[in-house]
Amino acid sequence: MYQHLDTNGSPIDFSPGKVICVGRNYREHCAELENEVPKMPLLFMKPESALVQDSNIEFNSDEPVHFEAELALLIGQTVKQGELTDESSCWDAIEGLGLALDLTKRGMQSKLKAKGHPWELAKAFDASCPISGFSSNIDRENPIQFTMTLNGELRQSGSTAQMIHSIPSVLIYMNQHFSLKPGDVVLTGTPEGVGEIKHGDQMILSLNERELASFSFSYRQAI
Ligand code: ZN
């Protein structure tokens, strides 16, 4: 069973909750997928059953799974709908910072988008959210940086300074529409460099140059 951990591998005492994802929060990523830059954050969710922290991840998928590396926020407070109004209360609600992958069946997503349907079938499958332990070291003033290397090569690097919608504005916006609870996770969008995961790929996620997670991937059946 998945349990939130800190960066030393000790359990954090919150039940895993919903995973709220922000789509299209970096300009260059919008461009690489030929999407418009949204005026308001684009939100979707993954269920807690998507969360996984095993170092070896096996997909049961009949199409390639694509990676999106993202900064993840662990929520540590109950915030009822509409209660978040200012930046400092947003930062107060964050218990930890981690890194996650918003894994996506891009072929399925393209079909759903074309029909105007919700994305869950492409985004919510088991193990669609591999995630690191969470650091309680939260710098409210300076940009937070992260990188993802794939098979030893730098593939994605992001910074909160590049986000279209800042962390507080994303939290205020989603909280206008629903409550946040301890154990919920927010994925803040992916920078450019997304791509397909191949059988045997190895990935390392680092936050402010500190390695937080490494994953290796396999597919149960040939695709
Ligand atoms: Zn994403």
Side-chain angles (χ1 to χ4, degrees):
M1 282 295 282
Y2 173 84
Q3 170 72 52
H4 294 311
L5 301 176
D6 67 19
T7 50
N8 297 317
S10 301
I12 297 176
D13 197 20
F14 299 140
S15 299
K18 58 189 176 289
V19 180
I20 310 118
C21 304
V22 181
R24 305 179 196 166
N25 204 20
Y26 290 81
R27 231 164 269 283
E28 288 76 10
H29 172 62
C30 294
E32 73 180 344
L33 295 187
E34 298 182 352
N35 287 317
E36 281 177 31
V37 175
K39 289 199 180 64
M40 306 305 281
L42 176 71
L43 303 182
F44 59 93
M45 293 196 209
K46 294 172 187 267
E48 56 79 33
S49 51
L51 290 162
V52 63
Q53 61 209 161
D54 308 343
S55 48
N56 296 302
I57 294 172
E58 187 186 55
F59 299 121
N60 184 9
S61 175
D62 56 4
E63 68 167 273
V65 170
H66 287 233
F67 59 80
E68 301 183 356
E70 312 201 1
L71 180 67
L73 318 174
L74 177 64
I75 300 299
Q77 296 179 353
T78 297
V79 192
K80 293 240 167 64
Q81 185 179 338
E83 278 183 355
L84 280 182
T85 51
D86 63 89
E87 287 205 9
S88 70
S89 60
C90 290
W91 289 110
D92 291 346
I94 300 171
E95 177 80 12
L97 298 180
L99 294 169
L101 297 171
D102 166 19
L103 297 182
T104 306
K105 294 180 181 174
R106 194 71 75 201
M108 169 84 79
Q109 188 192 27
S110 298
K111 284 183 203 153
L112 295 168
K113 271 163 81 175
K115 290 182 183 167
H117 289 179
W119 296 356
E120 275 76 5
L121 296 182
K123 291 279 198 180
F125 54 93
D126 282 16
S128 62
C129 193
I131 196 159
S132 72
F134 290 93
S135 166
S136 58
N137 182 6
I138 301 169
D139 185 339
R140 302 182 180 199
E141 305 298 329
N142 299 299
I144 301 159
Q145 322 255 8
F146 65 95
T147 57
M148 186 275 270
T149 61
L150 181 65
N151 302 323
E153 274 180 41
L154 180 66
R155 275 300 299 264
Q156 291 195 272
S157 78
S159 164
T160 49
Q162 302 165 335
M163 288 179 176
I164 297 167
H165 306 287
S166 69
I167 285 175
S169 60
V170 157
L171 291 180
I172 288 170
Y173 179 74
M174 63 181 63
N175 179 249
Q176 286 169 356
H177 297 274
F178 47 81
S179 295
L180 297 170
K181 290 186 157 184
D184 286 351
V185 173
V186 176
L187 266 52
T188 54
T190 195
E192 75 273 24
V194 301
E196 185 180 313
I197 294 178
K198 303 221 164 45
H199 188 83
D201 273 352
Q202 310 272 342
M203 202 175 276
I204 293 173
L205 296 170
S206 302
L207 179 67
N208 294 327
E209 299 185 352
R210 177 184 178 193
E211 181 179 323
L212 284 197
S214 67
F215 300 110
S216 64
F217 298 98
S218 59
Y219 289 88
R220 194 172 298 174
Q221 63 266 47
I223 48 167

